[in-house]
């Protein structure tokens, strides 16, 4: 008998897997903080004999190299990936024995990257699961534009061919176990559902239901901006990531926090957006620890900029630190826990700004204010508030000067990104109101929603 355990990385929208038999197992696309993988192996009572990568990842720093070193496992990486470390190169058709009667077969599935490789788990020669990485996802495929713009169409066509190869070679009942598609921007669209099989994908996935030319046009047209930090992930993974250090950062007092702000460093408040609006260190930014902090902080912060983290508890700080190492923000410059009153110099008071809803916006009226929409382009085309200004959140920090004069009511689709945007605007000295509401409430509140 075999087992497959899923390790969810909810903040990044990815999954890793541990699969094996009675004695040994293989880890697939492990995260940089791989202690959870080790914990699963310990609960199963198995040794990790192999660590495999489906591709050189663009959206997170892998833990594969270090996990293989710690466990003594063989580290399998697609042969076409150019890396600076010793590994076992994997080519199409290669097989390895994971446990008695359990094998892993490599299947070349280019498209997400040119070297992308899927792995089919076989028990006694029968295909029992397919680890598809960034190839065939639930209802979609991995995006083909992260390697090089000139290769996007070529890789999109390869995605179509790779999906068809998997569908042709595997039984309909084979579970499809992708790495991306659960919130990751490496997916060309988000997963519709939590599980799938080859048979289900044959009837629902555009890569398998649409001719290649139509598929390529639709796929490329639907691509949105990729997070800026992706530029740094591939090179870090190809070079060989260093081990993580999750020890607590140095503690900063109010004077040091003020000095770091004065030096132009980023001070990031991890508390929820409601608490931040009610009181915070002037000049600090709000990235909620319970939101997609790794994605959005890494996307917006100038790469390499020192960051100080402010948290309500040591536990919140540790959780955020763990999220951030997954995307290469390794060590905070400093940190503090407690309340805003403890983080501002003696004699100063915390800053604040108001929050509202779309009903509150409708009641106030839009004549004498700026309504700022910070959703992505793909969201705005589905409908937007008449007269609103549009600057996607990931561009706002560099485009603050483009926001018209006046009090700014800022909104997104649900409230989290509006909270981030409000903190950026507030730190820039603007009068801001954070609309903490779902966009689907706008029209019902009496506001005019224009079709994109």
């Amino acid at each position: 008998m075999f087992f497959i355990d899923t390790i969810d990385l909810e903040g990044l929208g990815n999954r890793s897997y541990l699969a094996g038999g009675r004695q040994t197992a293989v880890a697939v696309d492990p995260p940089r903080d791989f202690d959870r993988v080790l914990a699963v192996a310990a609960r199963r009572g198995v040794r990790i004999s192999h660590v495999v990568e489906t591709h050189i990842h663009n959206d997170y720093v892998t833990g594969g190299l270090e996990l293989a070193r710690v466990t003594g496992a063989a580290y399998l990486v697609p042969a076409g990936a150019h890396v600076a470390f010793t590994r076992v190169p994997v080519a199409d058709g290669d097989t390895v024995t994971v446990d008695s009667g359990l094998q892993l077969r490599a299947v070349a599935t280019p498209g997400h990257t040119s070297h992308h490789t899927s792995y089919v788990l076989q028990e006694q020669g029968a295909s029992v699961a397919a680890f598809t990485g960034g190839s065939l996802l639930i209802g979609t495929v991995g995006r083909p534009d992260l390697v090089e713009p000139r290769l996007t169409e070529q890789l999109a066509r390869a995605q179509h061919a790779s999906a068809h190869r998997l569908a042709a070679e595997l039984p309909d009942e084979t579970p499809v176990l992708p790495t991306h598609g659960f919130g990751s921007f490496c997916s060309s669209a988000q997963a519709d559902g939590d599980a799938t099989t080859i048979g289900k994908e044959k009837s629902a996935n555009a890569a398998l239901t649409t001719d290649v030319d139509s598929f390529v046009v639709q796929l490329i047209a639907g691509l949105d901006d990729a997070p800026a930090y992706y530029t740094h992930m591939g090179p870090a993974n190809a070079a060989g990531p260093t081990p993580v250090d999750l020890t607590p950062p140095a503690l900063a007092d109010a004077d040091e926090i003020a000095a770091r702000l004065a030096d132009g460093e980023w001070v990031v408040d991890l508390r929820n957006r409601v608490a931040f609006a009610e009181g915070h260190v002037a000049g600090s930014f709000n990235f909620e620890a319970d939101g997609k902090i790794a994605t959005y902080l890494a996307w917006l912060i100038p790469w390499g900029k020192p960051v100080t983290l402010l948290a309500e508890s040591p536990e919140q700080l540790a959780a955020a630190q763990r999220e951030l190492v997954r995307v290469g923000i390794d060590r905070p410059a400093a940190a503090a826990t407690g309340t805003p009153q403890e983080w501002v110099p003696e004699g100063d008071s915390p800053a604040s700004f108001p929050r509202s809803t779309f009903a509150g916006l409708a009641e106030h009226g839009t004549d004498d204010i700026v309504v700022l929409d910070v959703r992505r382009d793909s969201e705005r085309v589905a409908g937007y508030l008449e007269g609103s200004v549009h600057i996607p959140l990931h561009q706002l920090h560099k485009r603050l000067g483009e926001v018209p004069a006046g009090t700014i009511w800022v909104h997104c689709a649900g409230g989290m990104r509006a909270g981030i945007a409000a903190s950026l605007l507030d730190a820039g000295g603007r009068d801001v109101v954070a609309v903490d509401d779902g966009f689907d409430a706008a029209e019902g509140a009496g506001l005019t929603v224009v079709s994109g």
Side-chain angles (χ1 to χ4, degrees), residues 142-182:
R143 56 192 300 167
D145 62 325
L146 300 178
V147 176
E148 161 60 47
R150 294 171 299 170
L151 300 178
T152 297
E153 181 176 345
Q154 174 185 326
L155 289 175
R157 291 182 178 277
Q159 278 290 48
H160 188 272
S162 292
H164 278 264
R165 179 182 179 186
L166 291 170
E169 292 187 6
L170 298 175
D172 283 357
E173 63 272 16
T174 308
V176 174
L177 304 174
T179 300
H180 303 315
F182 310 96

Side-chain angles (χ1 to χ4, degrees), residues 3 5 18 25 36-48:
F3 71 85
D5 288 327
L18 186 74
R36 289 173 60 194
V37 181
L38 293 175
V40 172
R43 286 197 300 270
R44 289 284 186 179
V46 296
R47 175 177 63 88
I48 297 176

Side-chain angles (χ1 to χ4, degrees), residues 365-388:
T366 59
D367 290 343
D368 61 342
I369 61 170
V370 178
V371 178
L372 177 63
D373 180 353
V374 295
R375 296 174 301 158
R376 296 186 299 278
D377 292 345
S378 59
E379 297 170 286
R380 187 168 169 90
V381 296
Y384 59 90
L385 295 183
E386 185 177 43
S388 62

Side-chain angles (χ1 to χ4, degrees), residues 405-426:
T407 299
I408 305 158
W409 287 57
V410 59
H411 79 85
C412 60
M416 181 192 74
R417 286 173 291 170
I420 297 173
S423 73
L424 298 176
L425 292 159
D426 176 73

